[in-house]
């Protein structure tokens, strides 16, 4: 199962790099979003699934499960969603001002 998820992470990174290298601003933003989700999936896979009891003080268990990696990944997902939303708003505003989302057209003039 871990090899299948690792292959999926590789495919997601490949798609993200392809989108990051394109000339459309929206594709670059989607590439960053896909790359962040690929990294989240990679971190969850490398952390592994640990089975154990809930880490409560009153319980007597042989092993406990640490919830910190899942909490950190969830926080990273929320932050990446907020950054993606902000970048999409900036791209929309850029399109409204310039009329283009082509990165070569947004470079400006040579004499600037």
């Amino acid at each position: 199962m871990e090899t299948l998820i690792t292959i999926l992470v590789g495919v997601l990174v490949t798609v993200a790099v392809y989108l990051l290298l394109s000339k459309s601003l929206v594709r670059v933003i989607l590439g960053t979003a896909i790359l962040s989700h690929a990294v989240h999936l990679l971190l969850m896979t490398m952390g592994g699934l640990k089975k154990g009891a809930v880490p409560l003080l009153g319980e007597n268990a042989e092993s406990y499960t640490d919830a910190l990696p899942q909490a950190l990944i969830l926080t990273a997902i929320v932050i990446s969603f907020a950054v993606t939303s902000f970048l999409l708003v900036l791209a929309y505003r850029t399109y409204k001002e310039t009329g283009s989302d082509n990165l070569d057209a947004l470079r400006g003039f040579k004499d600037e």
Side-chain angles (χ1 to χ4, degrees), residues 3-72:
T3 57
L4 182 64
I5 294 175
T6 307
I7 291 171
L8 176 64
V9 168
V11 169
L12 286 175
V13 168
T14 304
V15 169
V17 168
Y18 175 76
L19 289 174
L20 283 171
L21 294 175
S22 66
K23 293 184 179 184
S24 173
L25 188 59
V26 175
R27 284 181 158 207
V28 170
I29 294 170
L30 290 176
T32 59
I34 291 173
L35 185 64
S36 69
H37 288 302
V39 170
H40 299 153
L41 186 59
L42 178 68
L43 290 175
M44 288 295 290
T45 304
M46 294 300 119
L49 178 64
K50 296 181 175 79
K51 296 182 180 179
V54 180
L56 298 175
L57 295 176
E59 304 228 353
N60 295 328
E62 295 178 12
S63 65
Y64 292 105
T65 303
D66 186 18
L68 185 63
Q70 288 87 2
L72 291 176

Side-chain angles (χ1 to χ4, degrees), residues 68-108:
L68 185 63
Q70 288 87 2
L72 291 176
I73 295 296
L74 182 61
T75 305
I77 288 170
V78 171
I79 291 171
S80 70
F81 177 72
V83 169
T84 302
S85 300
F86 180 68
L87 289 175
L88 284 173
V89 169
L90 284 178
Y92 176 72
R93 184 69 181 149
T94 302
Y95 180 75
K96 291 294 277 186
E97 288 291 322
T98 62
S100 175
D101 73 335
N102 189 352
L103 291 176
D104 285 339
L106 294 175
R107 293 187 128 201

Side-chain angles (χ1 to χ4, degrees), residues 108-112:
F109 299 109
K110 291 182 181 180
D111 59 346
E112 287 184 334

